[in-house]
Amino acid sequence: MLNCRITLKARPTGIPGPEHFSQDTMAVPPLDAGEMLVETMYISIDPAMRSWINGSSGYARGVAIGDVMRAGGIARVLRSQAEGFAVGDLVQGRTGWQSHPVLRGRDTQKLDLALGSLEDWMGPLGTSALTAYFGVRDIGALKPGETFLVSAAAGGVGQIAAQIGLIDACRVIGIAGGSEKCRFLKQTLGLHGVIDYKAETDLATAIQRQCGNGIDVYFDNVGGPTLDAALVNLRTDARVVLCGRISQAAAPEPYGIRNLGVLGGKRITMRNFLVFDYHDRYPEARAWLSAQIRGGRLMQQLHIVDGLESAPRSLGMLFRGENTGKLIIRAAVSPE
């Protein structure tokens, strides 16, 4: 059996594209004890990938030139030498951009389809949803009745964060780019207000207009000027959740935040986090998320692109704002 792989060929200086990757095939190696051969079905495309291909992300080892592109995904077990995993099992793990990887059982989780479907495990039960859950609940400490602003609110993390705010009886405002995304946030998800940053010449004023007396919690997926505009609209004792900085991932020069001075006088807390720090609490989060899905209070729009070979082009979509919802690659047909 052959494994189709997409490897890193060159480090981009801006938005990554197909020219930065190569494709090859290699024979699948024999399995050692504790390993399994899987067929990749879905692959997650995430903003963090841009920092991984810089060589160092600051929190994870960078992808080396010639290595398979790192990615999480869902796969079906074809052969197993790993205790507790059988042929036909559906698993979640670090598949990478490859069709038939060999995974270690200790690094892989068997899917509990009682919690949700395969697509749910890529969306509202996946790592992006876990990130939103712990960011809103633990870092943001969101309380009922507060005003909650979410940037990149139509993205994979932003959709879930915004809906958690609605479930928690908060006034939720979303920032997104373009009328289609804003319409989705308003009409489908039911946010109280939306801001199309592409249509605004003064984002700080637009935020003030939507947030009334100020922001209690700002969930930042963007960084740069959007973070700056939110800072001047924070209320006393506000919390800023630093989740991502997609506006800066492919920027030629980093944006210098100008409005940090508001933090002192208003006793504001600003904190970043990594979802992996909460690994022991994933079952708690997934149980809650699953209950919300079953109750019709939580959903996620997936932006699905077919074909493993589409992964390099799809990564660039994130940084051009071309996706609405969680961006994933469908690498193989789902089992019946």
Side-chain angles (χ1 to χ4, degrees):
M1 182 176 292
L2 295 178
N3 178 27
C4 179
R5 316 183 316 154
I6 297 178
T7 60
L8 182 64
K9 181 171 69 174
R11 302 199 187 281
T13 56
I15 295 177
E19 67 273 18
H20 300 111
F21 298 92
S22 296
Q23 182 170 319
D24 63 20
T25 55
M26 294 187 67
V28 172
L31 297 181
D32 291 331
E35 293 182 335
M36 67 187 90
L37 171 66
V38 303
E39 179 185 25
T40 302
M41 299 171 63
Y42 290 104
I43 298 169
S44 178
I45 302 295
D46 300 298
M49 290 175 163
R50 181 61 184 83
S51 60
W52 298 343
I53 59 179
N54 280 345
S56 175
S57 66
Y59 68 90
R61 177 181 57 83
V63 178
I65 298 296
D67 279 1
V68 173
M69 181 60 195
R70 183 186 305 149
I74 286 175
R76 175 173 45 217
V77 177
L78 300 181
R79 303 174 195 159
S80 178
Q81 295 293 330
E83 185 177 352
F85 294 90
V87 172
D89 283 348
L90 299 172
V91 299
Q92 183 183 61
R94 187 171 285 184
T95 59
W97 286 3
Q98 48 189 339
S99 64
H100 293 85
V102 172
L103 304 181
R104 295 183 298 186
R106 67 173 183 265
D107 300 329
T108 309
Q109 177 182 1
K110 190 184 300 185
L111 300 191
D112 181 358
L113 295 183
L115 293 178
S117 67
L118 278 183
E119 288 75 18
D120 288 336
W121 275 89
M122 287 303 299
L125 293 174
T127 303
S128 294
L130 298 175
T131 301
Y133 177 88
F134 292 113
V136 174
R137 290 292 178 81
D138 283 53
I139 307 300
L142 189 65
K143 304 178 186 66
E146 291 190 319
T147 296
F148 183 37
L149 178 67
V150 182
S151 61
V157 175
Q159 283 187 38
I160 303 299
Q163 290 176 89
I164 293 173
L166 294 174
I167 292 167
D168 288 350
C170 295
R171 174 173 167 77
V172 183
I173 309 299
I175 302 174
S179 58
E180 180 182 350
K181 292 181 181 182
C182 288
R183 186 164 48 250
F184 166 74
L185 293 173
K186 185 76 171 177
Q187 297 181 2
T188 303
L189 297 190
L191 271 61
H192 298 94
V194 295
I195 300 168
D196 181 355
Y197 74 86
K198 292 183 177 181
E200 299 290 345
T201 57
D202 186 340
L203 187 56
T205 299
I207 292 172
Q208 182 183 43
R209 186 168 60 244
Q210 287 286 345
C211 294
N213 294 325
I215 304 162
D216 294 296
V217 177
Y218 172 49
F219 197 105
D220 182 37
N221 290 304
V222 174
T226 304
L227 173 58
D228 237 0
L231 289 177
V232 298
N233 284 285
L234 297 175
R235 298 184 67 190
T236 298
D237 296 319
R239 287 84 70 200
V240 178
V241 182
L242 297 176
C243 180
R245 50 195 297 273
I246 194 168
S247 73
Q248 302 300 291
E253 295 290 338
Y255 177 89
I257 301 296
R258 302 183 179 97
N259 293 321
L260 290 175
V262 305
L263 301 185
K266 292 185 176 180
R267 299 178 296 282
I268 290 162
T269 301
M270 179 185 293
R271 183 181 166 191
N272 70 330
F273 72 106
L274 297 176
V275 68
F276 313 112
D277 296 338
Y278 295 90
H279 184 269
D280 292 344
R281 291 176 56 195
Y282 284 4
E284 164 205 322
R286 286 197 168 109
W288 185 89
L289 292 164
S290 177
Q292 308 313 310
I293 296 168
R294 292 196 304 270
R297 294 176 293 273
L298 184 72
M299 57 84 68
Q300 184 161 47
Q301 179 169 320
L302 301 179
H303 190 129
I304 300 176
V305 179
D306 283 310
L308 175 64
E309 69 282 357
S310 301
R313 176 178 55 83
S314 298
L315 180 56
M317 293 173 61
L318 285 178
F319 305 100
R320 291 187 294 268
E322 295 173 355
N323 62 299
T324 298
K326 172 64 182 171
L327 183 58
I328 62 175
I329 300 296
R330 181 161 47 205
V333 177
S334 300
E336 295 299 329

